Amino acid sequence: MRHNKKFNHLSRKKAHRDALLANMTISLIMHKRIFTTLAKAKALRMYAEPLINRAKEDTTPNRRLVFAHLQNKEAVTELFREIAKKIENRPGGYTRILKTGNRLGDNAKTCFIELVDYNELMLNDKPAKKGRTRRSRRGGNKPAAEAPAAEAPAVEATEEKELPEA
C-alpha cells in the first residue's frame, strides 16, 4: 500500500534527492528566481515553503532547523534578514511557478520558480478592476449614450454661473 507517499521521488535515492532540493532552495533564496523542470519546481515548492515560513520568526531554534536543511550560512542569513521582511504579512504561498514551454533536447516541461514578493514587474502591473462584469443584451449602449448628454448641460451651467460673476 502507498499510504502517505505523495511526494515526487524525482528518480533519485533519498540522499541525492535531499541534496538536490537543498541546493535548489539555496539557489532560489540567493537568486530569487531559478529556471528548472516543472517536476523539480513542484518538489522544490513543497521543500522550500516550510523553510521560508520558519524565517518569519527569527529565533535561534528556527535558524538551526533551517541551517540543518540547507547547510549554507549565506543563504540562511539572506532568508532571515531580507526575505523575512518581505513575507512577514503573507500567510503562505511564497513561491510562484511560471511555465515556459518544453525543452528542445528531451521535450521536458520547463518553468521558472520565483519568490512572489521579488517580481517587481508583476507587483506593479496589477490591472484596475472594472465596476461591472455581467453584461446584458438589452441597453448595452444606453449608459454610454447618456453620459455625454449629461455632461454637456453641466458644462453649460458652469459657464452661465461664471458670466454673471465676471
Side-chain angles (χ1 to χ4, degrees):
M1 285 188 247
R2 294 191 67 250
H3 294 304
N4 200 17
K5 297 186 180 198
K6 285 188 172 183
F7 64 94
N8 191 346
H9 293 278
L10 300 173
S11 299
R12 289 162 172 85
K13 301 284 185 180
K14 181 175 177 18
H16 188 186
R17 187 172 54 249
D18 288 343
L20 171 80
L21 293 174
N23 286 331
M24 288 178 70
T25 304
I26 291 167
S27 296
L28 180 65
I29 290 168
M30 299 305 284
H31 300 292
K32 312 304 188 263
R33 174 191 286 183
I34 57 174
F35 184 77
T36 184
T37 62
L38 186 61
K40 286 181 186 176
K42 288 180 178 180
L44 176 63
R45 180 170 50 186
M46 289 177 57
Y47 185 86
E49 291 217 5
L51 297 178
I52 295 171
N53 195 29
R54 289 252 178 217
K56 284 184 173 182
E57 186 181 351
D58 190 5
T59 61
T60 303
N62 282 347
R63 280 184 178 262
R64 285 180 178 164
L65 279 168
V66 171
F67 184 77
H69 286 278
L70 299 183
Q71 296 290 311
N72 188 314
K73 289 181 184 180
E74 291 81 18
V76 173
T77 303
E78 176 82 12
L79 178 63
F80 278 88
R81 284 193 184 156
E82 304 299 323
I83 297 173
K85 290 177 187 174
K86 290 215 174 196
I87 64 165
E88 63 186 355
N89 295 326
R90 182 175 289 277
Y94 309 114
T95 58
R96 176 187 297 127
I97 294 176
L98 299 170
K99 297 176 185 175
T100 58
N102 293 351
R103 195 161 49 198
L104 287 176
D106 58 355
N107 208 30
K109 294 178 182 178
T110 58
C111 65
F112 283 117
I113 182 167
E114 64 184 5
L115 295 175
V116 172
D117 295 319
Y118 280 91
N119 190 342
E120 300 299 330
L121 296 175
M122 291 189 89
L123 291 175
N124 294 336
D125 291 344
K126 290 185 179 178
K129 289 189 175 182
K130 295 181 181 178
R132 291 182 56 184
T133 56
R134 294 186 180 192
R135 297 182 183 142
S136 68
R137 296 177 68 153
R138 296 180 295 140
N141 293 333
K142 287 182 182 178
E146 292 176 7
E151 292 175 8
V155 173
E156 293 172 354
T158 57
E159 291 175 6
E160 292 174 1
K161 289 180 182 177
E162 291 176 8
L163 291 175
E165 292 176 12

